[in-house]
Amino acid sequence: MITINNYVKVSSLQEAYELNQKRTNRVLGGMMWLRLGAGRVQTAIDLSGLGLDYIEEDEEEFRIGAMCTLRELELHEGLARYFDGAVKESVRHIVGVQFRNGATVGGSIFGRFGFSDVLTCFLAMDAYVELFRGGIIPLKEFIQMKRDNDILVSIHVKKDQRKVVYMSERAAATDFPLVACAVAIKGEKIFCSVGARPMKAILLEDVCPKKEEAGDFARKSAKAVPFGSNMRAGEAYRRQIAGVLIRRGIEKIMEG
Ligand SMILES: Cc1cc2nc3c(=O)[nH]c(=O)nc-3n(C[C@H](O)[C@H](O)[C@H](O)COP(=O)(O)OP(=O)(O)OC[C@H]3O[C@@H](n4cnc5c(N)ncnc54)[C@H](O)[C@@H]3O)c2cc1C
């Protein structure tokens, strides 16, 4: 059980950042993950009064506030239209509607969980994180960074004409993914993001194969990804499934 000594609903990002510099303080997202932990939090930092629960869209990009819930991602018509339902597909298996009404985009991305469908999906897109102190940096750089005490403000996803497909393999519908995979194609380039390895998602960037070469390309790509074993699945199984998902993703995009 987690014990919280003080609770502060902050009125600015500056206040949140300053409070978060103390190691024993903790930013709250939806608390769906945090509450399962143990230990004592000196001050819980609630961002819910900062208006970060938005999804904005203009001609260039989507901007998704850190306090936007997974359910809001799932239901957003602009995201569904632009990414052909890929974002919705990445979250629809996560526990249940009530849960997705609580879990936030900020907690999901900042947590950099190995099993994260959300991270895997956005990694195949031209996505950036906006940090209060660190500014705007590519998501693929952010996931390599050591965890620090910054505040995640929003995610920016560029409208760069990428075609994206998201798929996952699960033992049961609402369980954690055994393997997660997003494939995106933009012109001559292909982006394959593989998550739940069980380590956090990894991004492969390559020249897009022809449709008839998709199987070979997918096997070669899956071979290049480091996988591991845990109680859910073994390394060899994950590699096999990842190859299948990558091939299906390519074929699906090419078949339009
Ligand atoms: C039972 C269960 C099953 C799950 N299954 C899946 C699944 O199948 N697929 C999947 O992708 N995910 C899954 N998740 C993870 C879930 O989707 C969320 O990613 C997770 O709950 C974190 O989101 P949250 O809003 O609850 O964050 P919290 O639990 O509140 O926070 C998580 C961490 O992020 C930090 N944090 C939160 N917001 C910010 C911010 N704005 N800036 C800086 N730091 C911040 C917190 O301090 C904390 O360390 C599961 C979680 C649970 C509990």
Side-chain angles (χ1 to χ4, degrees):
M1 192 180 67
I2 185 171
T3 308
I4 295 174
N5 288 348
N6 302 310
Y7 162 85
V8 177
K9 187 168 176 178
V10 291
S11 49
S12 70
L13 282 165
Q14 180 70 35
E15 185 186 2
Y17 179 79
E18 282 167 14
L19 283 170
N20 201 34
Q21 297 320 293
K22 196 167 169 200
R23 206 176 46 81
T24 48
N25 295 352
R26 217 57 194 275
V27 174
L28 307 182
M31 270 204 87
M32 308 308 269
W33 187 259
L34 207 57
R35 75 192 157 84
L36 300 181
R40 189 171 288 274
V41 169
Q42 183 54 31
T43 300
I45 307 161
D46 182 1
L47 307 179
S48 67
L50 300 182
L52 297 177
D53 54 343
Y54 57 81
I55 301 181
E56 293 169 352
E57 176 183 2
D58 62 24
E59 284 183 4
E60 284 187 2
E61 64 178 12
F62 291 93
R63 286 176 297 280
I64 304 164
M67 291 301 281
C68 170
T69 67
L70 301 189
R71 182 68 174 157
E72 283 163 334
L73 277 189
E74 185 179 356
L75 296 179
H76 194 266
E77 285 180 9
L79 282 171
R81 205 178 315 113
Y82 196 84
F83 294 112
D84 250 333
V87 176
K88 178 179 182 161
E89 179 60 26
S90 76
V91 295
R92 77 180 174 96
H93 297 283
I94 302 176
V95 187
V97 170
Q98 274 179 307
F99 182 94
R100 299 196 292 279
N101 271 328
T104 63
V105 172
S108 301
I109 298 289
F110 199 86
R112 284 161 275 197
F113 304 109
F115 54 74
S116 181
D117 291 285
V118 186
L119 196 60
T120 306
C121 185
F122 284 128
L123 192 58
M125 299 174 176
D126 190 17
Y128 300 77
V129 293
E130 181 180 348
L131 300 165
F132 176 71
R133 181 60 54 183
I136 298 176
I137 53 175
L139 180 60
K140 63 182 177 187
E141 282 177 26
F142 175 73
I143 63 167
Q144 303 301 339
M145 282 164 52
K146 253 182 86 187
R147 209 186 155 110
D148 63 10
N149 294 343
D150 213 335
I151 306 284
L152 181 65
V153 181
S154 63
I155 309 293
H156 299 222
V157 190
K158 298 288 176 197
K159 289 180 163 179
D160 71 346
Q161 309 291 328
R162 242 173 251 215
K163 295 283 172 214
V164 189
V165 166
Y166 185 84
M167 294 148 296
S168 63
E169 174 74 7
R170 297 171 131 82
T174 58
D175 202 353
F176 289 103
L178 304 176
V179 184
C181 179
V183 175
I185 296 179
K186 184 190 170 199
E188 302 289 292
K189 290 196 80 179
I190 183 164
F191 306 84
C192 302
S193 155
V194 182
R197 303 179 289 126
M199 301 81 86
K200 70 187 165 203
I202 189 171
L203 179 66
L204 304 175
E205 298 183 45
D206 213 324
V207 177
C208 188
K210 295 194 178 79
K211 193 177 167 206
E212 57 276 17
E213 293 163 359
D216 284 346
F217 175 87
R219 270 189 298 278
K220 196 184 80 193
S221 303
K223 227 171 154 185
V225 173
F227 287 95
S229 303
N230 63 2
M231 61 181 280
R232 294 181 195 284
E235 179 184 344
Y237 177 82
R238 285 193 160 100
R239 181 163 294 108
Q240 181 75 23
I241 297 295
V244 173
L245 296 182
I246 293 171
R247 175 180 56 74
R248 285 186 189 163
I250 297 170
E251 288 173 352
K252 198 167 172 200
I253 292 172
M254 290 187 172
E255 281 158 14

